[in-house]
């Protein structure tokens, strides 16, 4: 089974609108971390936001927020007030085994390509 | 340095030749990762170094691929007898505070490998 599933290969959003990028995950660990990265056409991977499995509040970083629903194993990224510069590939990722001395590699989803339009 | 540094940024090599890709992680980071990204694809895990522990090599696609991390800092990814399907961007990343809840993982800009 896929560890990280991103079901939207591509999304369009109008400038200044909000958009939600979906991410579901699969793990039996109790302690894990969820990450979102942005990859513009230049290719660099830019860290956006992090959510720990024990964090009770949803993470927020500026215009980015993470809608964490632990029981549903979903960690959707919400981008508010979209800007043209937000057009990029977005990857959801998970790291299992935190706090246990067995922290593992970061496992990525297949990504969602976001296009912001005028 | 301020970020993860990778070299070379671009490499064109002939099929069958060996290549070495270098990664210099953020100073003090104990964990180092190599990923591969083919054109238009997601990130494929290759290998993970964690402090002094044995590396997780479970993602290496064949025995032509190997990696070392000397002195707990710089890492070299070696691809022997390169094939055209090895053409990809090779991304290195590092992280600190291995077992804390707030750690983040930072990526370098990648080494673009083209095998002709």
């Amino acid at each position: 089974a896929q560890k990280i599933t991103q079901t939207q290969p591509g999304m369009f959003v109008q400038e200044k609108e909000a958009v939600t990028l979906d991410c579901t995950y699969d793990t039996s660990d109790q302690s894990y971390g969820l990450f979102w990265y942005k990859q513009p056409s230049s290719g660099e991977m830019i860290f956006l936001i992090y959510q720990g499995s024990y964090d009770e509040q949803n993470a927020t970083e500026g215009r980015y927020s993470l809608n964490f629903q632990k029981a549903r194993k979903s960690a959707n990224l919400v981008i508010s007030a979209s800007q043209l510069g937000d057009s990029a590939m977005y990857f959801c990722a998970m790291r299992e085994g935190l706090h246990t001395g067995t922290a593992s590699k970061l496992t990525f989803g297949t990504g969602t390509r976001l296009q912001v339009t005028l | 340095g301020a970020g993860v540094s990778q070299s070379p940024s671009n490499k064109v090599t002939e099929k069958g030749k060996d290549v070495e890709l270098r990664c210099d992680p953020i100073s003090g980071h104990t964990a180092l990762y190599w990923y591969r990204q083919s054109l238009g694809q997601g990130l494929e895990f290759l290998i993970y170094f964690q402090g002094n522990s044995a590396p997780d090599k479970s993602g290496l696609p064949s025995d032509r691929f190997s990696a070392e991390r000397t002195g707990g800092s710089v890492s070299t990814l070696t691809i022997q007898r390169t094939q055209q399907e090895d053409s990809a961007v090779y991304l290195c990343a590092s992280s600190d505070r291995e077992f804390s809840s707030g750690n983040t993982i930072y990526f370098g800009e990648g080494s673009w490998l083209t095998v002709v």
Side-chain angles (χ1 to χ4, degrees), chain A residues 37 39 50 95 103 105-106, chain B residues 33 35 37 98 101 103 105:
Chain A
Y37 283 84
Q39 188 179 44
Y50 168 83
R95 192 176 188 201
K105 60 185 179 289
L106 203 59
Chain B
Y33 313 75
Y35 286 85
Q37 187 177 29
E98 183 63 40
S101 61
N103 57 355
I105 298 173

Side-chain angles (χ1 to χ4, degrees), chain A:
Chain A
Q2 292 289 328
K3 289 271 188 184
I4 296 286
T5 302
Q6 294 182 256
T7 57
Q8 306 154 316
M11 290 280 286
F12 286 88
V13 64
Q14 269 195 318
E15 197 180 18
K16 300 178 187 175
E17 298 292 313
V19 63
T20 298
L21 306 184
D22 294 342
C23 173
T24 57
Y25 59 92
D26 180 26
T27 182
S28 57
D29 282 356
Q30 296 301 309
S31 180
Y32 52 89
L34 297 156
F35 302 74
W36 277 92
Y37 283 84
K38 171 184 178 181
Q39 188 179 44
S41 56
S42 57
E44 61 190 304
M45 292 288 285
I46 302 168
F47 166 73
L48 296 179
I49 195 165
Y50 168 83
Q51 179 86 41
S53 58
Y54 288 117
D55 295 340
E56 294 186 353
Q57 305 246 351
N58 285 346
T60 60
E61 289 286 347
R63 294 186 299 111
Y64 304 108
S65 61
L66 200 151
N67 184 2
F68 181 46
Q69 298 188 43
K70 194 171 181 177
R72 297 178 61 183
K73 293 189 175 177
S74 75
N76 298 341
L77 176 71
V78 181
I79 305 175
S80 62
S82 297
Q83 302 172 355
L84 294 177
D86 294 336
S87 294
M89 197 75 171
Y90 288 80
F91 291 98
C92 180
M94 175 174 66
R95 192 176 188 201
E96 299 172 282
L98 300 182
H99 301 294
T100 63
T102 60
S104 69
K105 60 185 179 289
L106 203 59
T107 302
F108 285 83
T110 51
T112 296
R113 183 167 297 283
L114 177 67
Q115 186 68 45
V116 180
T117 61
L118 291 170

Side-chain angles (χ1 to χ4, degrees), chain B residues 28-62:
Chain B
H29 278 191
T30 57
L32 186 147
Y33 313 75
W34 282 100
Y35 286 85
R36 176 170 73 173
Q37 187 177 29
S38 301
L39 191 63
Q41 302 297 310
L43 275 76
E44 175 189 4
F45 167 74
L46 296 177
I47 188 169
Y48 163 51
F49 295 91
Q50 174 189 318
N52 295 322
S53 302
D56 176 356
K57 302 181 181 179
S58 60
L60 294 178
S62 76

Side-chain angles (χ1 to χ4, degrees), chain A residues 38-46, chain B residues 2-10 21-26 33-35 37 43 88-94 106-113:
Chain A
K38 171 184 178 181
Q39 188 179 44
S41 56
S42 57
E44 61 190 304
M45 292 288 285
I46 302 168
Chain B
V4 178
S5 177
Q6 291 188 246
S7 61
S9 54
N10 281 284
L21 307 176
R22 176 189 165 104
C23 174
D24 199 345
I26 293 173
Y33 313 75
W34 282 100
Y35 286 85
Q37 187 177 29
L43 275 76
V89 178
Y90 290 81
L91 290 161
C92 178
S94 70
Y106 298 92
F107 283 80
E109 294 189 353
S111 291
W112 294 69
L113 175 66

